Amino acid sequence: MPRGLYIHVPWCRRRCPYCDFYFEVGKSAPDFADALSRELAGRDAADRLPFDTVYLGGGTPSALDEAGVGAVFGAVRAGAEVRAGAEISLEANPEDITPGLVEAWARAGVTRVSLGVQSFDEATLRRLGRAHRGAAAEDAVRTLSARFAVSVDVITGVPGDAPARAPADVARAVDAGAGHISAYMLTVEPGTALARRVARGQVPDVDDDAQADAYEAVRAACAARGLAQYEVSSFARPGQESRHNRVYWSKGAYVGLGPAAHSLRYTDDGGAVRRQNVRSWATYRDAPDTHETEVLGPDEAFVEAVAFGLRDVGAGIDLEQLAARHRTGWLAPVRAVLDGLVGRHLTRDDGGRYRLSETGVLFADGVARAVLSVDVDH
Amino acid sequence: MGEKNGKRALLIVDMTPRCVYGPGGQEVSPDDGAASIIPFIQGELDYFRVDGRPVIFCVPPGETVVEALHPRVGETVIEHPQANIFFGTDLEKTLRSLGVKRVTLVGTGAAQAILLSAGDALAHGFGLSVPEPCVHDEAAAKAFALSLMFERWAAEAAAEA
């Protein structure tokens, strides 16, 4: 089972009006890599085993300057083993791309860049409060795809969008060299600037039907350009799927470093321990081991693995294999739930490997809830 | 189907212990019968609540909503004396007062309460969504009701637009 390492870089140059992730506005702190080193040194030996994937997310990892990039990867390689051939990904904003930074990423061993384009359309970018221009983002995709595998984030359902906007963005991204598209539906998260503007009537609310239509259009645009859907929101050319994200969906073990990062590891009895680091840079800098943990028993861990695993529409889940991994007695009731969903055309049973159906992909959250609410008393 | 870009309300129909679990109201396995739609309705409920959109529970007189979907303080519960939730209730007035243009119908009785109420919602000029995993009935009856709503009524609504 592959193991992933995630590093949360909690800085952004500015606040996007729709974002509710943990981040701090401003320049990255020079002692970030040092704090990562101290956290890694304090983690159990089991958390420092060889990693098959490394992922820098945020926040905005491209807010790290060239020296910062070197320092972070230096800390990782000094404190943990990264396997040869590992996928090393990094999230970046188009406006941050400079030749020097691209060189620094290449020297650090980065293999894949996930670019937060959201759209190439100027009107949409203005509505989203993004800092880049469409043409510059297209140039960034071209520049990066000469050196790395490139994924482009495309956002759907922005109020005021023309129906053709999102599929046109997919086409521009792929034509510029992207081999992977992550398509996200815009949600109006409570507490964001966008939510306040919607509440004041300054911006129309997200239209559900427009969202659904845009999602279908993105799926069709990806298929037309040879990108297969392998997860609810993810599309890739063969071989360009995100190995790191597949660690999450398969509930493989992963270690998260940095403020607000999550980790998951398995225990010998088939259960799991989930850890979340403190959501504050200031606290983390002083005490990087500050975290909360949650212990899952084997049965809970099994049910979660099934619910998350179904998000991988390409791989699906091998139910019996997961049950064996977790040493659970809940195989029969979970199978009954999945078979019930097969009967409702929401999942498929391909010889013991369950996958979401076409309809099931649209109701993936409901399918996950159905699995998570399994009742073993009946 | 119907008007887009309008304020939307979620109408949860007949998700009471008697309607979901049978006359005794005893819980059965959640993957059986009408209980199997609860996780999908929970998803809709979360979505509407997060966005601060109206949620209205419609129940037969004297009945309460199942625990898993329990109304929050401030959410409206309407008792409907007939299968059609608009008939003999203040539902239309309530929706108009909230500025609702479009309703999402979920719950039990796809071929009766949902079907009749969907027809009346359209007749009252509301846009309509009926997410298939969120409604329940005997399989053939549900298929008939959905085909009527999705194929014939949607086609008519499109032709009128």
Side-chain angles (χ1 to χ4, degrees):
Chain A
M1 179 68 66
R3 289 167 46 89
L5 174 65
Y6 174 80
I7 298 163
H8 191 79
V9 182
W11 291 281
C12 290
R13 296 185 197 284
R14 58 203 299 238
R15 178 182 294 273
C16 293
Y18 52 87
C19 181
D20 75 337
F21 284 108
Y22 168 65
F23 66 93
E24 307 211 353
V25 177
K27 288 185 176 176
S28 59
D31 45 357
F32 179 56
D34 176 62
L36 292 177
S37 292
R38 286 184 284 123
E39 183 188 357
L40 203 45
R43 297 289 285 253
D44 292 344
D47 283 345
R48 286 183 271 121
L49 292 173
F51 292 105
D52 303 280
T53 67
V54 179
Y55 192 102
L56 266 68
T60 313
S62 56
L64 292 170
D65 61 17
E66 295 162 36
V69 169
V72 166
F73 281 99
V76 168
R77 292 182 190 279
E81 184 184 342
V82 178
R83 287 189 200 277
E87 175 191 85
I88 300 180
S89 306
L90 174 146
E91 292 176 356
N93 279 343
E95 66 270 24
D96 292 337
I97 307 303
T98 64
L101 207 47
V102 169
E103 284 304 320
W105 293 345
R107 277 197 304 276
V110 169
T111 62
R112 182 176 183 276
V113 177
S114 175
L115 203 58
V117 172
Q118 314 309 341
S119 177
F120 298 101
D121 178 73
E122 302 298 344
T124 303
L125 290 170
R126 276 196 300 277
R127 284 195 289 274
L128 290 171
R130 299 291 298 193
H132 64 267
R133 305 296 298 266
E138 215 166 3
D139 286 345
V141 176
R142 281 198 196 90
T143 301
L144 293 171
S145 57
R147 305 289 294 270
F148 313 105
V150 174
S151 173
V152 165
D153 289 352
V154 172
I155 201 161
T156 64
V158 180
D161 264 357
R165 194 277 300 167
D169 281 336
V170 168
R172 285 178 73 173
V174 175
D175 292 348
H180 187 286
I181 297 288
S182 295
Y184 296 105
M185 293 190 193
L186 176 69
T187 53
V188 182
E189 299 290 348
T192 60
L194 180 60
R196 289 191 290 276
R197 285 186 211 162
V198 170
R200 288 196 293 259
Q202 295 168 324
V203 175
D205 200 354
V206 170
D207 182 274
D208 308 311
D209 294 304
Q211 283 272 28
D213 291 347
Y215 181 70
E216 288 300 332
V218 163
R219 286 171 86 173
C222 286
R225 279 173 163 70
L227 274 64
Q229 182 169 21
Y230 71 103
E231 192 262 346
V232 173
S233 306
S234 305
F235 307 80
R237 286 194 198 287
Q240 293 215 30
E241 298 87 355
S242 166
R243 286 159 55 192
H244 185 80
N245 284 344
R246 281 196 139 159
V247 170
Y248 295 144
W249 302 323
S250 66
K251 281 284 168 187
Y254 53 90
V255 171
L257 302 178
H262 292 254
S263 305
L264 179 78
R265 71 180 157 95
Y266 292 104
T267 51
D268 291 341
D269 66 352
V273 178
R274 205 158 33 205
R275 162 182 169 136
Q276 183 181 9
N277 286 359
V278 63
R279 285 171 64 93
S280 156
W281 160 242
T283 306
Y284 178 82
R285 178 187 56 211
D286 295 338
D289 191 41
T290 311
H291 67 274
E292 292 178 355
T293 55
E294 181 187 6
V295 177
L296 301 179
D299 300 328
E300 288 174 283
F302 167 62
V303 170
E304 275 207 3
V306 173
F308 274 82
L310 285 168
R311 285 189 69 90
D312 192 326
V313 295
I317 54 153
D318 183 326
L319 190 64
E320 293 195 3
Q321 194 179 64
L322 280 181
R325 180 175 94 177
H326 292 285
R327 303 179 190 182
T328 179
W330 287 14
L331 174 60
V334 170
R335 194 197 302 274
V337 171
L338 293 175
D339 287 342
L341 293 167
V342 170
R344 296 167 65 193
H345 310 294
L346 293 163
T347 55
R348 299 194 319 265
D349 176 3
D350 300 327
R353 184 170 284 278
Y354 289 88
R355 293 183 172 89
L356 289 178
S357 68
E358 287 272 310
T359 306
V361 170
L362 299 175
F363 292 93
D365 289 346
V367 169
R369 284 171 192 274
V371 172
L372 293 170
S373 65
V374 61
D375 184 350
V376 295
D377 297 328
H378 291 92
Chain B
M1 226 191 275
E3 184 173 345
K4 289 191 176 185
N5 297 317
K7 186 172 182 182
R8 179 181 288 203
L10 177 64
L11 307 182
I12 300 177
V13 180
D14 292 349
M15 292 302 289
T16 67
R18 181 183 64 81
C19 297
V20 173
Y21 301 119
Q26 298 296 310
E27 287 201 21
V28 295
S29 174
D31 50 312
D32 285 347
S36 66
I37 65 176
I38 289 176
F40 295 88
I41 296 179
Q42 285 173 326
E44 294 291 321
L45 197 49
D46 281 357
Y47 178 77
F48 275 75
R49 282 173 171 166
V50 163
D51 280 356
R53 298 177 185 187
V55 176
I56 297 175
F57 296 85
C58 305
V59 298
E63 298 193 30
T64 57
V65 179
V66 294
E67 189 60 33
L69 301 171
H70 200 67
R72 288 185 180 168
V73 174
E75 289 177 338
T76 305
V77 180
I78 284 179
E79 294 190 345
H80 60 99
Q82 302 291 332
N84 178 346
I85 59 177
F86 287 92
F87 188 86
T89 70
D90 287 338
L91 180 58
E92 186 193 358
K93 198 166 88 179
T94 303
L95 294 172
R96 301 272 182 230
S97 71
L98 293 167
V100 170
K101 304 285 188 195
R102 183 170 177 74
V103 295
T104 296
L105 270 172
V106 301
T108 55
Q112 193 175 13
I114 300 289
L115 183 65
L116 294 171
S117 305
D120 223 6
L122 290 172
H124 282 104
F126 293 107
L128 176 68
S129 286
V130 183
E132 188 272 336
C134 301
V135 294
H136 178 265
D137 212 322
E138 183 272 321
K142 176 177 169 178
F144 168 75
L146 290 177
S147 71
L148 191 61
M149 288 185 276
F150 288 148
E151 292 166 22
R152 180 165 296 185
W153 293 354
E156 287 171 3
E160 288 165 11

